[in-house]
Amino acid sequence: MGEFLEEFFTSLPVHLQRTLGRRIEDLRPQWANGTSQLVARMLAKHIDDFVGRDITMSLSR
């Protein structure tokens, strides 16, 4: 998890700036907790989808 967080925190500012542009000034600190929960749920779904595809591919061989 440490490696993931290191890479995540390194790349996050670049992607926020690229995606939000001038709207980056509209970010509010109180949104951080909810946003972190959203990111965690998205990652969990991504991992579940990835594992599901991997299992499906293994079974079809």
Side-chain angles (χ1 to χ4, degrees), residues 34-61:
T35 302
S36 65
Q37 291 174 25
L38 176 63
V39 169
R41 286 192 303 267
M42 288 173 51
L43 284 170
K45 183 178 179 341
H46 177 72
I47 291 168
D48 290 345
D49 291 347
F50 181 77
V51 168
R53 281 191 305 257
D54 193 43
I55 289 171
T56 302
M57 290 179 71
S58 293
L59 292 175
S60 65
R61 289 182 191 171

Side-chain angles (χ1 to χ4, degrees), residues 19-34:
T19 303
L20 295 175
R22 289 185 295 162
R23 295 178 299 164
I24 201 160
E25 297 170 1
D26 296 333
L27 285 176
R28 301 290 178 251
Q30 63 265 28
W31 297 344
N33 186 47

